Amino acid sequence: MRRKHFSYWAKYNYVLSAALDAGTAVGVMLVFFCLQYPLDGTIGHRTVQRWWGNQVYKRTLDWNRTALRILRPGETFGTQVG
């Protein structure tokens, strides 16, 4: 667009930039009011902090320090050497 229609690009480049900036600002405000708007005087106490994505890691084997498979005595991982 800049190469073939430079005058059009030069005229509307700042408008496009302003529109993208305004869209980002509106998006940030929308996320704030949808996810973190204060409930009962606390910001996000029952919304963001209890969201599935913030708690799912606590339900994994790594978090609970549990092995997926338990080796029997004398058993090893991988191929046997020798």
Side-chain angles (χ1 to χ4, degrees):
M1 176 99 179
R2 184 175 182 207
R3 287 184 192 166
K4 294 188 180 201
H5 304 286
F6 183 76
S7 61
Y8 182 78
W9 178 85
K11 184 176 181 180
Y12 293 108
N13 186 34
Y14 289 111
V15 174
L16 176 63
S17 178
L20 292 173
D21 290 343
T24 301
V26 168
V28 167
M29 295 299 288
L30 182 67
V31 167
F32 173 76
F33 284 113
C34 289
L35 297 178
Q36 291 191 355
Y37 192 70
L39 295 171
D40 301 328
T42 59
I43 295 178
H45 180 66
R46 294 190 183 123
T47 55
V48 174
Q49 293 172 352
R50 296 193 183 266
W51 178 59
W52 171 84
N54 291 340
Q55 302 293 326
V56 71
Y57 69 93
K58 293 181 180 177
R59 288 181 248 142
T60 63
L61 293 175
D62 289 336
W63 181 263
N64 295 321
R65 296 183 179 151
T66 306
L68 180 62
R69 293 183 184 167
I70 299 173
L71 296 176
R72 292 179 288 217
E75 193 175 19
T76 61
F77 287 108
T79 60
Q80 294 183 356
V81 178

